[in-house]
Amino acid sequence: MPADPDPKPIELSVVIPTFNEVHNVAEIVKRLDSALSGISWEVIFVDDLSPDGTADAVRQLARSDQRVRLISRHNRRGLSSAVVEGGLAAASDVIAVMDGDLQHDESILPELYEKVVSGEAAIASASRFLDEDRPEGLASDQRVKISNTGIQLANRLFDLDMSDPLTGFFVMRREVLLRALPELSEIGFKVLLDIIAASRPRPKVVELPFRFRERLHGESKLDSGVLYEFLLFFIEKKISRYVPLPARFISFALINSIGILCHLAVFLFVERLFGATFAVAQLVATLAALTFNYTVNNAVTYNDRRLRGVDFYVGFVMFAVLCSVGIFANIGVATMLHHQYGELIDLAPAMAGALITVVWNYVATQAFVWGRVRYPDLVSRKSERVKS
Ligand code: GDD
Ligand code: MN
């Protein structure tokens, strides 16, 4: 694009989080170009070092089109925080947020923009459910069900009345984001819901219908994990507020408590039904609880850093080793307290021991199991390089 000697100030900043969208970025810019004629815009792609080379593809567009910007983050993953950081970097006072996979219909952007600029609303969001047909983009009945449950929960728990509080497609004033900022979720959940829930007073929202298209390239990163993420978000908003502990810790501790029940159930099962000795039953039960704790925490508490493939098994071994240290700490502390305070009460030392274990397990596994972000080979990446 030739440099414009007297460019119109940017009116709309479009923020697009991307993870493995290499085949979609050029097309999006093309579509924004035709959808936003008459509005002066920029687009900010926020990428988390996608292994498919999305950032390279954006960089390449940015070289010849100054409306295109890239924020490339490291050490983090997450759609929500990507949107927040992109929004903070926006040049204009009005921000659009949309997905980078062409599922969001960019042709309604001017309408959303108009609602906000005219002052009719502080947020104009695009709803997948105001259209009479079932959204094409919700590929299965299961996804429809998950969405419905999520929407009902969101409305009820946060006292809203929206047809699609979980949508990732909306336009807002930058001010709305800035106001919500101090109260935004640490773990990051559906960013629109997060922003609305964090704002006092509530910003005025209007919803417009759009057709949620099918994904062409790549795959959706959201699955039934969203319901668990929702739970974590809820814990953070409603419990962490009063109990000043990180939501992740609360989640970890809750899952470990269920793990204890799991231990007991397996113990009884193996001992009673199979007539195993105490030691064998205890061993099997410990392994079962360990597997349960690891798998569920990996999927829920650390959904954003979930370990997969070989990393999953390596992580499991680390988890098991670190947790056995936790068990020794538990027994050590409990015994010490028990000796010191005699027969007073046994429950208190036992609980102190258990508490030490859960704190240790949390801190240690957060650092060593889920702490490391694994990078793709950034310099000499061969796969899916974008052709010049
Ligand atoms: N930077 C970054 N980091 N971007 C990410 C990440 C991440 O960790 N994970 C996903 N994205 C990007 C994707 O590349 C895509 O552009 C967008 O975020 C949405 O991700 P999808 O994986 O396509 O989500 P979806 O289609 O399943 O979910 C849709 O429905 C949700 C409703 O519950 C999206 O519209 C969501 O925005 C919406 O909230
Ligand atoms: Mn999508």
Side-chain angles (χ1 to χ4, degrees):
M1 200 185 58
D4 189 339
D6 185 19
K8 206 163 137 200
I10 296 169
E11 294 163 310
L12 178 66
S13 300
V14 183
V15 173
I16 303 185
T18 56
F19 196 77
N20 288 345
E21 305 288 2
V22 70
H23 298 296
N24 294 324
V25 288
E27 179 63 23
I28 288 182
V29 173
K30 210 157 87 192
R31 291 191 188 184
L32 287 176
D33 188 45
S34 52
L36 293 173
S37 60
I39 299 173
S40 151
W41 56 276
E42 66 173 350
V43 58
I44 304 170
F45 289 96
V46 188
D47 184 68
D48 295 345
L49 292 180
S50 303
D52 73 351
T54 304
D56 285 341
V58 174
R59 222 174 258 119
Q60 204 172 331
L61 294 166
R63 279 189 198 120
S64 55
D65 186 340
Q66 301 202 351
R67 297 170 303 182
V68 178
R69 294 170 58 192
L70 166 70
I71 295 179
S72 177
R73 310 191 304 169
H74 81 122
N75 252 335
R76 308 209 259 318
R77 271 292 307 273
L79 163 56
S80 247
S81 61
V83 166
V84 172
E85 286 171 39
L88 289 176
S92 67
D93 288 331
V94 184
I95 299 167
V97 175
M98 66 188 282
D99 287 354
D101 56 2
L102 309 172
Q103 286 195 280
H104 290 161
D105 178 2
E106 63 294 326
S107 69
I108 71 157
L109 273 173
E111 228 182 311
L112 293 170
Y113 172 76
E114 203 37 53
K115 294 276 178 202
V116 169
V117 168
S118 68
E120 194 181 325
I123 301 177
S125 74
S127 164
R128 293 166 293 171
F129 304 103
L130 286 177
D131 230 23
E132 52 288 354
D133 302 335
R134 155 170 146 183
E136 288 167 28
L138 293 183
S140 61
D141 285 343
Q142 198 209 355
R143 279 214 64 172
V144 173
K145 267 203 202 110
I146 292 173
S147 282
N148 286 340
T149 316
I151 287 165
Q152 281 172 15
L153 276 175
N155 277 325
R156 193 156 311 162
L157 299 176
F158 295 98
D159 191 25
L160 302 169
D161 184 19
M162 291 176 67
S163 75
D164 195 0
L166 307 182
T167 183
F169 188 18
F170 57 96
V171 172
M172 66 181 158
R173 297 199 157 277
R174 203 154 52 92
E175 210 182 285
V176 170
L177 175 66
L178 296 179
R179 284 234 172 87
L181 210 53
E183 294 289 321
L184 284 184
S185 161
E186 232 175 87
I187 49 165
F189 185 62
K190 301 295 169 180
V191 71
L192 177 64
L193 177 64
D194 194 4
I195 289 171
I196 296 175
S199 305
R200 293 278 179 289
R202 289 278 166 83
K204 181 158 189 252
V205 185
V206 290
E207 293 186 286
L208 296 177
F210 84 105
R211 283 189 49 239
F212 189 49
R213 291 189 292 236
E214 238 170 303
R215 204 180 230 283
L216 287 180
H217 297 287
E219 52 186 48
S220 161
K221 283 110 213 156
L222 302 177
D223 48 26
S224 53
V226 293
L227 288 185
Y228 298 117
E229 278 179 45
F230 201 147
L231 181 72
L232 205 56
F233 177 68
F234 182 71
I235 291 175
E236 185 186 20
K237 287 281 149 188
K238 306 279 168 166
I239 303 181
S240 292
R241 219 160 211 230
Y242 307 103
V243 188
L245 290 169
R248 273 201 220 268
F249 176 74
I250 297 177
S251 162
F252 191 85
L254 277 177
I255 289 166
N256 282 34
S257 319
I258 303 171
I260 294 174
L261 296 180
C262 164
H263 180 113
L264 294 176
V266 172
F267 179 86
L268 288 177
F269 188 74
V270 175
E271 199 195 33
R272 297 283 147 83
L273 277 166
F274 293 95
T277 61
F278 175 84
V280 169
Q282 181 70 354
L283 182 72
V284 174
T286 306
L287 284 176
L290 211 58
T291 311
F292 173 87
N293 287 347
Y294 176 70
T295 324
V296 180
N297 276 308
N298 189 45
V300 180
T301 313
Y302 294 103
N303 189 294
D304 58 333
R305 306 179 199 170
R306 195 186 290 184
L307 299 171
R308 295 188 159 89
V310 180
D311 291 340
F312 177 87
Y313 296 101
V314 175
F316 185 49
V317 174
M318 296 261 279
F319 185 84
V321 170
L322 292 167
C323 292
S324 26
V325 176
I327 291 170
F328 286 117
N330 175 348
I331 295 172
V333 169
T335 317
M336 191 189 82
L337 288 174
H338 179 73
H339 281 316
Q340 203 150 338
Y341 298 102
E343 320 293 284
L344 219 61
I345 358 161
D346 277 346
L347 213 56
M351 272 172 61
L355 200 66
I356 295 283
T357 308
V358 74
V359 171
W360 159 264
N361 287 356
Y362 173 71
V363 173
T365 59
Q366 175 158 78
F368 297 111
V369 178
W370 287 289
R372 242 177 345 130
V373 176
R374 283 161 187 80
Y375 287 122
D377 180 359
L378 295 171
V379 182
S380 60
R381 184 178 40 230
K382 281 176 229 93
S383 62
E384 307 213 56
R385 265 244 126 130
V386 203
K387 280 164 246 106
S388 299

